[in-house]
């Protein structure tokens, strides 16, 4: 049975949820409807433009800085100064907006919590609506949680000890099938942004903070311009001052890496910084240059560290760009999940995390991400050592950095090759992540790492690329569709033995196996795994 929304503007096509009326108010849905009618047509044009640009890359196997925007790159301008609540971002924790994570992230000691409605959250309607409720409850200090399994209770620390929230809506490509306006699904980005902004903009101002956002999967400065237009409209709509919104853009697509200055320029009244993503960035390279032949073939994902020459070019250019324009540069994710059983594993992993964060702080980043509260002190120590009492190091202009266009796509500068074990790992992680996602979990611990949707994207993309490039592994085996099927079948058998018959039957293992092979083997490469996966997501 479908429950009608309290507004004639919108149809909510989902089973009613407890307290949904607190989120899906008539006024909030009217705001989302305005966003949808004004901005979805332009979003549609920009998605079509993505396809055109991808076709051009397929034809040329190259990218360059835009000639038409040279004046912006050479101009003398800055983004708006950071508000006090976002001036010190030395450690940021990421995670979905379930009730336990909301409390733990806010209490973690990190300066910022990336409250994620995107890759760390499977977009079931329950996750979409209850995530909004959890954030409202947190701001109203009426949130608590008791773990039914352990009996442990969680509650918020005093306000001055809580992380500042930066909320991440879904990417432009995703629809929200449960909310239709004028007979059409609303883009997930507008649902997430609209409901959060409408309910919390003034509430956050009253708390001395503001409506702050991370913008995912941006592919061009024109997409940043659309977000800026949305911010201008939204601030006028609810009657708060222009410039109250702040947005940090994830540079996690290869095309955006060539438009970092332009992206900041379009958002300059609302820009807070740029972030260096990793798995989505590599996924974007594979997606865009999948026809480019051997020189664009990535090795195993774990062999592509942030010290690879083309990744160094990307991160150093990001720091220089941000600091030149007065914006924060935020580093990548430390995804390790500490073991409660193996101190030696933790010791080795903590050393790697420390080295990674030391490098970022030394390179000039103003902060970085972690996925687990236990990593907050490690990352904090790395940035404290460089920053001291300073909130950031935007005064380090990195004018020593000069990156030529070809350096960002010099994949063959990395001395590593795909391996058979890399194929097996991609299949293992892909199946395990997709299975959890189909059950409504977006942030999943797999083999000691916190994985999200970007993990599955790079896994399936590498399988696709290695097969289509005719890679021969170190053991002499040719990468073929049949080999991928053979490895996937063996993995499914191993999972069945590992979890037991009952858990296997109650899970979505076969479905995940089939979906991974679909998106890894189809000749027609799907733009995003989450598009066919969303059709299979229940709830």
């Amino acid at each position: 049975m479908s429950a009608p929304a309290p507004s004639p503007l919108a149809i909510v096509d989902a089973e009613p949820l407890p307290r949904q009326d607190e989120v899906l108010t008539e006024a909030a849905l009217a705001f989302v409807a305005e966003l949808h009618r004004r901005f979805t047509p332009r979003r549609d044009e920009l998605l079509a433009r993505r396809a055109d640009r991808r076709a051009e890359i397929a034809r040329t196997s190259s990218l360059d800085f835009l000639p038409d925007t040279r004046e912006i790159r050479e101009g003398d301008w800055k983004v708006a100064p950071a508000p006090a609540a976002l001036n010190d971002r030395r450690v940021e924790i990421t995670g979905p907006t379930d009730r336990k994570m909301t409390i733990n992230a806010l209490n973690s000691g990190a300066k910022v919590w990336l409250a994620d409605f995107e890759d760390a959250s499977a977009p079931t309607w329950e996750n979409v609506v209850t995530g909004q409720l959890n954030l409202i409850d947190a701001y109203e200090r009426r949130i608590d949680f008791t773990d039914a399994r352990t009996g442990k209770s969680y509650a918020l620390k005093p306000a001055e000890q809580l992380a500042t929230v930066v909320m991440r809506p879904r990417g432009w490509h995703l629809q929200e099938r449960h909310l239709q306006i004028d007979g059409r699904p609303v883009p997930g980005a507008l649902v997430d942004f609209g409901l959060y902004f409408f309910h919390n903009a003034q509430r956050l101002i009253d708390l001395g903070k503001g409506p702050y956002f991370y913008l995912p999967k941006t592919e061009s400065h024109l997409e940043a311009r659309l977000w800026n237009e949305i911010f201008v409209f939204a601030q006028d709509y609810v009657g708060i001052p222009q410039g109250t919104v702040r947005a940090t853009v994830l540079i996690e697509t290869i095309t955006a890496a060539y438009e970092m200055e332009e992206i900041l320029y379009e958002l300059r009244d609302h820009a807070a910084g740029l972030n260096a993503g990793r798995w989505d960035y590599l996924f974007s390279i594979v997606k865009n240059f999948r026809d480019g032949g051997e020189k664009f073939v990535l090795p195993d994902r774990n062999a592509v560290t942030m010290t690879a020459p083309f990744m160094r070019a990307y991160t150093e250019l990001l720091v220089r760009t941000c600091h030149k324009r007065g914006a924060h540069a935020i580093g990548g994710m430390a995804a390790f999940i500490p073991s409660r059983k193996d101190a030696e594993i933790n010791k080795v992993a903590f050393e790697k995390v420390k080295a990674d964060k030391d490098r970022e702080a030394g390179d000039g980043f103003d902060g970085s991400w972690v996925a687990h509260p236990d990593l907050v002190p490690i990352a904090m120590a790395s940035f404290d050592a460089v920053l001291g009492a300073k909130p950031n190091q935007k005064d380090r202009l990195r004018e020593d950095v000069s990156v030529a266009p070809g350096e960002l796509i010099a994949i063959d500068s990395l001395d590593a090759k795909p391996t058979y074990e890399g194929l097996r790992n991609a299949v293992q992680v892909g199946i395990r992540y997709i299975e959890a996602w189909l059950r409504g979990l977006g942030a999943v611990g797999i083999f000691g790492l916190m994985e999200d949707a970007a993990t599955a994207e790079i896994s399936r993309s590498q399988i696709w690329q290695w097969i289509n490039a005719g890679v021969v592994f170190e053991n002499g085996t040719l990468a073929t569709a049949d080999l991928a099927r053979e490895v996937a079948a063996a993995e499914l058998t191993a999972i069945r033995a590992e979890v037991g018959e009952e858990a296997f039957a109650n899970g979505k293992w076969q479905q995940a196996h089939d979906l991974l092979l679909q998106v890894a083997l189809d000749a027609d490469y799907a733009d995003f795994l989450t598009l066919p996966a969303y059709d299979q997501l229940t709830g």
Side-chain angles (χ1 to χ4, degrees):
M1 184 185 85
S2 296
S7 164
L9 297 165
I11 299 296
V12 177
D13 185 15
E15 289 294 323
L17 294 165
R19 298 180 60 200
Q20 72 172 24
D21 292 346
E22 296 174 45
V23 174
L24 306 175
T25 64
E26 187 165 353
L29 290 174
F31 175 61
V32 173
E34 277 297 303
L35 293 174
H36 177 62
R37 290 175 180 142
R38 286 171 180 265
F39 300 111
T40 297
R42 179 59 177 153
R43 169 264 201 178
D44 294 344
E45 292 171 3
L46 291 170
L47 289 183
R49 188 179 178 278
R50 285 183 178 183
D52 293 342
R53 192 171 195 194
R54 165 42 215 157
E56 177 68 10
I57 293 170
R59 189 179 65 78
T60 63
S61 289
S62 68
L63 273 171
D64 203 343
F65 302 112
L66 302 179
D68 296 348
T69 54
R70 182 184 297 274
E71 287 185 7
I72 291 172
R73 294 194 299 277
E74 295 178 351
D76 184 17
W77 52 270
K78 300 271 197 210
V79 303
L86 270 185
N87 202 30
D88 187 335
R89 305 177 62 174
R90 65 187 71 197
V91 180
E92 304 191 351
I93 191 166
T94 71
T97 53
D98 61 86
R99 214 157 179 85
K100 181 180 176 182
M101 181 67 194
T102 296
I103 299 168
N104 282 346
L106 288 169
N107 286 347
S108 66
K111 297 292 187 180
V112 166
W113 170 36
L114 186 159
D116 200 9
F117 286 81
E118 199 232 0
D119 272 3
S121 179
T124 63
W125 186 236
E126 182 178 11
N127 286 345
V128 169
V129 174
T130 59
Q132 297 279 352
L133 273 168
N134 290 338
L135 291 172
I136 292 170
D137 283 351
Y139 300 146
E140 294 292 329
R141 296 196 65 88
R142 61 185 184 216
I143 191 170
D144 54 31
F145 177 79
T146 300
D147 191 316
R149 186 174 57 85
T150 64
K152 186 177 178 181
S153 293
Y154 301 81
L156 290 179
K157 292 179 178 178
E160 64 275 9
Q161 297 179 37
L162 302 182
T164 293
V165 174
V166 180
M167 182 270 215
R168 180 163 70 168
R170 279 169 281 181
W172 279 129
H173 60 288
L174 293 165
Q175 304 275 51
E176 177 47 73
R177 65 170 177 245
H178 299 96
L179 181 59
Q180 297 189 6
I181 291 169
D182 303 332
R184 184 179 167 189
V186 182
L190 296 182
V191 174
D192 299 338
F193 166 82
L195 293 175
Y196 180 77
F197 180 89
F198 185 84
H199 288 297
N200 298 303
Q202 187 60 54
R203 189 176 263 131
L204 285 160
I205 292 168
D206 294 343
L207 291 171
K209 300 189 177 182
Y212 306 142
F213 298 92
Y214 260 111
L215 304 181
K217 297 186 173 53
T218 299
E219 296 197 13
S220 76
H221 70 286
L222 299 178
E223 295 179 17
R225 180 182 298 172
L226 175 59
W227 271 116
N228 197 70
E229 291 168 357
I230 290 168
F231 297 155
V232 170
F233 170 78
Q235 289 165 124
D236 280 348
Y237 189 98
V238 302
I240 63 174
Q242 288 295 328
T244 306
V245 169
R246 284 294 191 277
T248 305
V249 180
L250 292 108
I251 302 299
E252 56 185 354
T253 67
I254 186 61
T255 52
Y258 286 85
E259 300 183 34
M260 288 193 267
E261 295 217 46
E262 294 89 336
I263 286 167
L264 285 175
Y265 181 80
E266 294 293 344
L267 287 159
R268 59 195 178 279
D269 295 331
H270 303 104
L274 303 176
N275 166 269
R278 183 176 172 193
W279 297 138
D280 262 319
Y281 188 73
L282 295 176
F283 155 54
S284 174
I285 290 173
V286 174
K287 177 161 65 173
N288 280 287
F289 289 93
R290 62 184 184 268
D291 317 290
E294 185 179 354
K295 71 176 186 173
F296 290 103
V297 172
L298 283 171
D300 301 0
R301 72 167 181 144
N302 293 325
V304 188
T305 67
M306 299 306 279
T307 59
F310 67 98
M311 297 299 278
R312 287 289 288 165
Y314 150 63
T315 55
E316 297 222 293
L317 181 61
L318 187 146
V319 172
R320 174 173 177 151
T321 301
C322 286
H323 290 183
K324 177 182 177 183
R325 303 306 182 182
H328 280 77
I330 307 298
M333 171 73 81
F336 175 66
I337 304 171
S339 169
R340 300 299 182 217
K341 299 175 182 175
D342 195 326
E344 188 56 34
I345 285 178
N346 288 349
K347 181 174 180 290
V348 173
F350 285 163
E351 286 172 357
K352 288 182 179 177
V353 171
K354 179 182 184 301
D356 189 47
K357 300 311 171 191
D358 285 350
R359 175 189 53 77
E360 287 180 328
D363 283 348
F365 280 97
D366 302 292
S368 189
W369 283 6
V370 300
H372 193 280
D374 288 358
L375 301 183
V376 170
I378 297 172
M380 193 73 75
S382 294
F383 281 89
D384 285 351
V386 170
L387 296 178
K390 289 167 46 180
N392 55 64
Q393 53 181 332
K394 289 192 280 190
D395 56 336
R396 277 196 68 195
L397 298 181
R398 292 306 312 272
E399 291 174 341
D400 56 303
V401 171
S402 178
V403 175
E407 291 181 71
L408 292 169
I409 49 174
I411 311 306
D412 54 355
S413 66
L414 182 60
D415 185 23
K417 302 288 184 189
T419 68
Y420 179 81
E421 186 55 35
L423 172 70
R424 202 167 75 87
N425 182 259
V427 170
Q428 287 179 310
V429 173
I431 291 175
R432 288 164 189 261
Y433 180 81
I434 293 169
E435 192 278 335
W437 195 92
L438 292 171
R439 288 188 288 108
L441 300 174
V444 187
I446 303 173
F447 304 148
L449 296 176
M450 186 63 76
E451 309 285 17
D452 69 10
T455 304
E457 291 286 24
I458 186 62
S459 295
R460 65 96 177 190
S461 297
Q462 293 204 285
I463 298 166
W464 192 100
Q465 185 185 48
W466 295 344
I467 291 168
N468 283 273
V471 164
V472 177
F473 297 120
E474 78 291 348
N475 62 1
T477 308
L478 176 67
T480 64
D482 283 345
L483 179 64
R485 291 188 191 99
E486 179 185 312
V487 172
E491 177 59 13
L492 203 60
T493 300
I495 288 169
R496 185 192 296 266
E498 176 188 323
V499 303
E501 286 296 333
E502 183 179 355
F504 188 88
N506 291 335
K508 296 184 179 290
W509 296 106
Q510 185 69 50
Q511 198 176 338
H513 163 281
D514 295 349
L515 183 55
L516 176 69
L517 289 181
Q518 175 191 327
V519 293
L521 303 183
D522 275 5
D524 186 13
Y525 179 95
D527 278 345
F528 293 95
L529 158 71
T530 45
L531 293 173
Y534 187 52
D535 292 337
Q536 299 183 30
L537 186 67
T538 52

